[in-house]
Amino acid sequence: MSFYIQEPHKNKNQNMNATYYIETMGCQMNKLDSELVTNELERAGYQPCDHINNAGIIIFNTCSVRQHAEEKVLSKIGQLRKRYMQKKDFVLAVIGCMAQRLGQDLLDGWDQAAIVCGPNQIHELVDLIEKVRTERDQGTKPRQARYLSLNDPEQDDLLEELDSRHQHRDERLPFMAFVRVMRGCNYFCSYCIVPYVRGRERSRPIKHIIDECKQLTDKGVKEITLLGQTINSYRYEDHDTIYGLADILESVHAIEGLDRIRFVTSYPRHFEERIFHLMASLPKVCSYLHLPAQSGSDRILKAMNRRYTVSDYIELIERGKAIVPELTVAGDFICGFPGEQESDHQATLELMRRIRYKNCFVFKYSPRPNTKAWQKMADDVPDDVKQGRLEELLALQHEIGYEDNQGLIGQSVEILVEGFSKNPHLDSDRSTSDTETAYPQLTGRTQGDQIVVFDGPEWLTGKLVEVKIRKASSLTLFGERYE
């Protein structure tokens, strides 16, 4: 059953508070979903609201990858109960992976105007909001909504229509946009909830992807990041021709006006070598690879159902660096997985030393309901041990990042300028008088995804600029622009 309407919705509740506030947790997929929802709300006549306390529609786009992310949402919902009981002046919508996982149970005890909507049903959200608001205005108890089908071809067609109307709206980063190339995941890692909340892999038609990239570039976007849970698994068949990620990269590279292309997240199996050759030969394809390892221990990788060995992982990266010498790699690690011993942890530290990641995302293991690890493995690593291992991994990454970044001092790098730096105070060489009289501090990224800050005029935002690195920390490079 679908409430989808192709034409822009006409907001029938203009006399009510037709404003929305959306808060996004989690990954880039959620950020993209929030942008698509924003597009639809504004097509329907709703306006953004700067503060949650003034919004007529409050939307939480949620993450279920870790328990802490879900607890954060439950806390926010709890904080809103008092306001609703006093004023009944807003509609609450919970969307995303947590909505998919918990469904109606998510809002037990919340019997007011509320909506639950999984990530595969976001094209229906505006209709559901209209329905709940109408029922509330009529004095009836608004019906909670729950649409949780996965891998439904009809739903995928409607989601395609939603993606086709993608209008980039991030005012903070107007020159950078995400484009989805596939949905879901087939790997079923034993700790991961993604296949249960986003479904199996479904690759989008390559023509739709290219058209969306062209549409965004025509609107001024300079950098596109292609998104997929396991993006190198992309496969789309059209008239007996099978297209992969490499074909997307070639096609997007041909779009005039676009400066850079990134893709995340890759899986360390079935990685086509042709992708490395495109990194080396196509100037717009960034020499950056986000390749989660999760552990440096073969025993733990097997328990995680990761389907590769440490040597497989190392061989892939070494092959990539042989083709793309400037290749930078970001990694993910889970510490304290069930059964992890100190020797497994030391193996992970050794892998980090071997690869020398640009940066790493490190998390403590969090059991997720219905996954195989949750069903069959005891969470037997004490939290204080998990925390200690996490801190040790982060400390090593800090050390590696600092050492490697020192080697960039004196070099010239090309960056795409993103806008004002959030933390200009981090550059201790800038005095108060400098910040008052000189150019503001801007920030950008290299092709290898290193963050660079420098002083320059605001009009450089969205442009490629040559900067000479003069100092470096573990996460940030500080540069001077060539005049």
Side-chain angles (χ1 to χ4, degrees):
M1 181 177 183
S2 172
F3 293 104
Y4 183 81
I5 301 174
Q6 175 62 39
E7 295 301 318
H9 302 268
K10 296 185 183 299
N11 186 352
K12 300 176 182 178
N13 300 282
Q14 294 292 352
N15 60 321
M16 302 296 291
N17 186 356
T19 61
Y20 69 90
Y21 177 90
I22 183 166
E23 185 168 340
T24 307
M25 299 85 164
C27 67
Q28 296 100 324
M29 281 289 188
N30 273 12
K31 292 177 182 177
L32 175 56
D33 286 345
S34 289
E35 187 163 84
L36 296 174
V37 166
T38 295
N39 291 341
E40 297 304 289
L41 286 167
E42 296 191 7
R43 289 177 75 244
Y46 291 92
Q47 297 298 317
C49 184
D50 290 337
H51 199 283
I52 190 171
N53 290 339
N54 300 324
I57 311 296
I58 298 172
I59 303 169
F60 293 138
N61 191 353
T62 61
C63 175
S64 269
V65 172
R66 281 168 291 281
Q67 181 63 30
H68 177 71
E70 294 192 348
E71 290 172 351
K72 185 176 179 180
V73 175
L74 293 173
S75 174
K76 290 178 179 293
I77 291 173
Q79 293 168 15
L80 290 171
R81 278 199 176 94
K82 184 177 180 180
R83 172 186 162 188
Y84 191 88
M85 295 306 294
Q86 291 175 344
K87 300 181 179 180
K88 294 182 172 55
D89 62 345
F90 68 93
V91 172
L92 172 66
V94 182
I95 67 176
C97 294
M98 186 177 176
Q100 178 70 39
R101 188 180 84 77
L102 293 178
Q104 200 70 39
D105 293 340
L106 178 62
L107 297 180
D108 277 352
W110 180 282
D111 59 356
Q112 299 87 22
I115 295 166
V116 179
C117 181
N120 287 347
Q121 284 72 43
I122 58 172
H123 56 283
E124 301 179 359
L125 183 59
V126 171
D127 298 285
L128 299 175
I129 288 171
E130 290 291 317
K131 184 176 180 64
V132 168
R133 295 187 80 196
T134 299
E135 289 177 351
R136 183 184 63 181
D137 297 345
Q138 292 172 348
T140 61
K141 179 179 177 181
R143 184 168 66 101
Q144 295 179 349
R146 182 183 179 195
Y147 294 89
L148 304 173
S149 60
L150 290 174
N151 304 329
D152 180 339
E154 180 182 352
Q155 297 282 6
D156 283 346
D157 288 343
L158 296 173
L159 287 169
E160 275 300 311
E161 292 185 46
L162 183 66
D163 279 313
S164 73
R165 295 195 297 276
H166 184 189
Q167 298 290 324
H168 184 53
R169 293 177 179 270
D170 189 340
E171 294 181 0
R172 190 176 64 85
L173 296 172
F175 301 98
M176 307 170 76
F178 296 123
V179 171
R180 189 189 340 262
V181 306
M182 58 191 299
R183 300 181 174 89
C185 179
N186 284 353
Y187 281 100
F188 287 90
C189 301
S190 63
Y191 56 83
C192 185
I193 201 167
V194 168
Y196 303 98
V197 293
R198 287 192 176 266
R200 295 285 191 132
E201 286 180 3
R202 292 100 71 208
S203 294
R204 295 183 62 201
I206 188 168
K207 183 180 185 304
H208 293 189
I209 297 166
I210 306 310
D211 288 347
E212 185 177 338
C213 290
K214 288 179 179 177
Q215 175 178 297
L216 291 167
T217 303
D218 288 344
K219 296 293 185 179
V221 168
K222 297 297 183 180
E223 177 177 300
I224 287 176
T225 300
L226 305 172
L227 297 183
Q229 243 75 41
T230 53
I231 195 166
N232 53 305
S233 298
Y234 176 87
R235 293 291 182 277
Y236 183 77
E237 185 171 355
D238 184 28
H239 295 96
D240 298 324
T241 300
I242 298 177
Y243 297 95
L245 175 60
D247 299 295
I248 299 176
L249 294 174
E250 283 189 316
S251 297
V252 175
H253 187 274
I255 297 174
E256 292 186 9
L258 187 65
D259 288 333
R260 285 186 176 173
I261 308 161
R262 300 186 189 276
F263 57 92
V264 293
T265 294
S266 298
Y267 187 83
R269 279 190 81 196
H270 309 307
F271 194 96
E272 189 179 1
E273 188 171 296
R274 180 181 164 204
I275 294 171
F276 289 131
H277 288 287
L278 292 179
M279 281 184 179
S281 63
L282 300 181
K284 297 179 186 179
V285 179
C286 291
S287 52
Y288 167 74
L289 186 64
H290 182 201
L291 193 70
Q294 306 299 8
S295 176
S297 162
D298 283 341
R299 188 177 70 85
I300 297 300
L301 288 176
K302 184 176 181 180
M304 289 177 167
N305 192 35
R306 288 293 285 177
R307 308 185 192 191
Y308 56 83
T309 64
V310 174
S311 61
D312 293 334
Y313 183 89
I314 293 172
E315 190 276 332
L316 173 60
I317 291 178
E318 289 182 345
R319 182 157 39 101
K321 288 186 175 181
I323 299 169
V324 189
E326 67 275 19
L327 181 70
T328 60
V329 183
D332 291 5
F333 288 98
I334 296 172
C335 58
F337 188 80
E340 184 185 72
Q341 302 296 319
E342 181 61 24
S343 58
D344 302 310
H345 173 61
Q346 291 299 322
T348 297
L349 290 167
E350 181 56 35
L351 179 61
M352 289 181 69
R353 294 186 187 100
R354 176 77 176 264
I355 301 301
R356 301 193 71 85
Y357 295 96
K358 178 194 75 73
N359 67 290
C360 282
F361 304 95
V362 184
F363 308 99
K364 293 188 290 185
Y365 170 70
S366 176
R368 308 312 298 132
N370 301 319
T371 62
K372 290 184 179 179
W374 180 80
Q375 293 172 336
K376 299 181 179 181
M377 302 177 192
D379 183 15
D380 57 359
V381 180
D383 190 68
D384 62 332
V385 175
K386 290 181 184 178
Q387 183 64 31
R389 291 175 181 172
L390 179 143
E391 291 174 2
E392 193 171 357
L393 290 169
L394 290 177
L396 175 59
Q397 180 54 45
H398 178 86
E399 177 185 324
I400 291 169
Y402 182 80
E403 291 174 354
D404 288 356
N405 283 348
Q406 297 309 298
L408 295 173
I409 294 175
Q411 293 189 22
S412 174
V413 297
E414 183 184 67
I415 65 171
L416 179 63
V417 182
E418 297 176 2
F420 294 116
S421 172
K422 290 183 179 180
N423 301 300
H425 62 280
L426 291 178
D427 187 354
S428 58
D429 292 346
R430 303 179 87 232
S431 68
T432 303
S433 60
D434 288 338
T435 61
E436 290 175 350
T437 61
Y439 288 128
Q441 191 177 84
L442 304 178
T443 184
R445 291 178 188 260
T446 68
Q447 273 229 355
D449 202 48
Q450 291 108 337
I451 300 170
V452 181
V453 296
F454 70 103
D455 293 350
E458 183 182 359
W459 59 263
L460 289 175
T461 301
K463 293 181 168 45
L464 294 172
V465 175
E466 286 286 328
V467 174
K468 183 177 181 179
I469 305 304
R470 58 180 175 79
K471 73 172 187 175
S473 69
S474 62
L475 291 175
T476 307
L477 303 174
F478 301 89
E480 296 176 341
R481 180 172 64 103
Y482 287 101
E483 297 292 345

